[in-house]
Amino acid sequence: MAIILKSQSERAKIRETGRIIATIFAELRKAVQPGITTAEIDQLTIEALKRYGAKSSSLGYHGYPSSLCTSVNEEVVHGIPGKRMLKEGDIITLDLAASYNGWHADSAITVPVGTVAPAVQRLLQVTEEALYRGIAAARAGKRLNDIGRAVYRHVTAAGFSVVRHYSGHGVGRSMHEDPQVLNYVEPGYPGPRLKSGMVIAIEPMVILGDEETRVLEDGWTVVSADGTYTAHFEHTVAILEGEAEVLTLG
Ligand code: MF3
Ligand code: CO
């Protein structure tokens, strides 16, 4: 229940892990082309993690079977890599949590496959902007729910829906720590005051249509109930007195 503060040297370790994730994303971005399967992207991730001496945090987590989450089009989060082949006009979320020297970091990007429809391009842009609105609101002295408010306002002003069922989280020696970082405001729950040294993953998940989601029979893959496209961007950030420091950059 307690939020674990991280010292400057601990934050530097999380940043090292975050840099590995960003570097792997740079490789994966190039691989996202029509004709590649999500299993092949997972394989590239496994090889890259090995090369950097890092470990996937999702592999084996509550039985999750893969090193990477790959969520295509209507898939929101926790898509399992497999035979699905990408085609022009698709979008794919790559969500990678990893650890290096015992410290985790977590990041996600949604990448277009070739050219996508203008509304889908806008969905990607608004979701990434919402992440940065959340990061801008994440400063010592503010409340936790200032983050969710910033994210929610930006997404709904654009006419898209925020997924409520999944949220961000603290990051550290474990992939998931307190607090839960909502992408909306729970009435009557401002949340704790943000303190320098908190490390959290902010991760808006946005649906082009309605906010409802459901889980497929595989027990993992979360999809939009109405089948419309969904996007997800995530960074692990350190709360400081001024602007938060993004720890998952290359
Ligand atoms: N990166 C995901 C997150 O933000 C973790 C998914 S791992 C899974 O929480 F094992 F739960 F799929
Ligand atoms: Co996360």
Side-chain angles (χ1 to χ4, degrees):
M1 279 308 288
I3 300 173
I4 304 164
L5 300 182
K6 278 80 183 182
S7 68
Q8 187 167 351
S9 67
E10 290 171 333
R11 299 196 299 265
K13 290 188 177 149
I14 297 172
R15 194 193 309 121
E16 277 188 56
T17 311
R19 185 180 299 130
I20 292 171
I21 293 172
T23 308
I24 294 175
F25 277 168
E27 293 179 30
L28 298 184
R29 259 180 201 287
K30 291 185 214 150
V32 169
Q33 299 286 345
I36 195 168
T37 66
T38 52
E40 286 166 339
I41 298 171
D42 184 48
Q43 193 52 44
L44 293 173
T45 307
I46 292 169
E47 287 161 17
L49 284 168
K50 194 166 179 191
R51 211 177 324 121
Y52 295 116
K55 240 177 78 183
S56 165
S57 317
S58 60
L59 183 65
Y61 182 83
H62 292 284
Y64 183 78
S66 301
S67 296
L68 175 74
C69 297
T70 53
S71 305
V72 180
N73 297 349
E74 77 286 355
E75 296 171 354
V76 182
V77 285
H78 303 164
I80 299 172
K83 293 192 184 115
R84 190 164 181 171
M85 189 181 278
L86 300 182
K87 57 183 192 327
E88 181 94 15
D90 285 349
I91 56 174
I92 180 170
T93 299
L94 308 172
D95 185 354
L96 179 59
S99 68
Y100 180 70
N101 287 332
W103 290 92
H104 294 254
D106 190 1
S107 186
I109 52 174
T110 303
V111 182
V113 183
T115 306
V116 301
V120 174
Q121 188 56 52
R122 206 167 141 268
L123 172 73
L124 300 186
Q125 190 188 324
V126 166
T127 307
E128 188 167 21
E129 286 167 358
L131 167 59
Y132 279 94
R133 296 293 181 106
I135 293 171
R139 310 181 160 230
K142 298 255 228 171
R143 290 281 188 179
L144 185 62
N145 77 349
D146 290 319
I147 298 171
R149 183 179 302 105
V151 168
Y152 187 83
R153 280 192 179 155
H154 190 67
V155 170
T156 53
F160 299 132
S161 300
V162 167
V163 173
R164 290 173 186 260
H165 207 78
Y166 303 88
S167 52
H169 47 90
V171 180
R173 287 246 180 229
S174 310
M175 164 170 64
H176 290 155
E177 293 183 359
D178 280 339
Q180 251 203 79
V181 181
L182 303 180
N183 293 306
Y184 60 95
V185 173
E186 189 83 77
Y189 179 70
R193 210 168 272 291
L194 298 175
K195 277 197 192 140
S196 194
M198 289 180 178
V199 173
I200 57 173
I202 303 176
E203 48 177 319
M205 289 149 262
V206 176
I207 301 180
L208 204 147
D210 294 328
E211 69 176 63
E212 274 72 47
T213 59
R214 65 186 176 86
V215 179
L216 298 185
E217 305 69 49
D218 64 18
W220 282 103
T221 312
V222 179
V223 298
S224 63
D226 64 7
T228 59
Y229 277 33
T230 103
H232 176 200
F233 285 85
E234 174 177 22
H235 274 307
T236 300
V237 308
I239 308 291
L240 300 169
E241 294 300 328
E243 238 168 73
E245 184 188 1
V246 180
L247 301 177
T248 36
L249 292 178

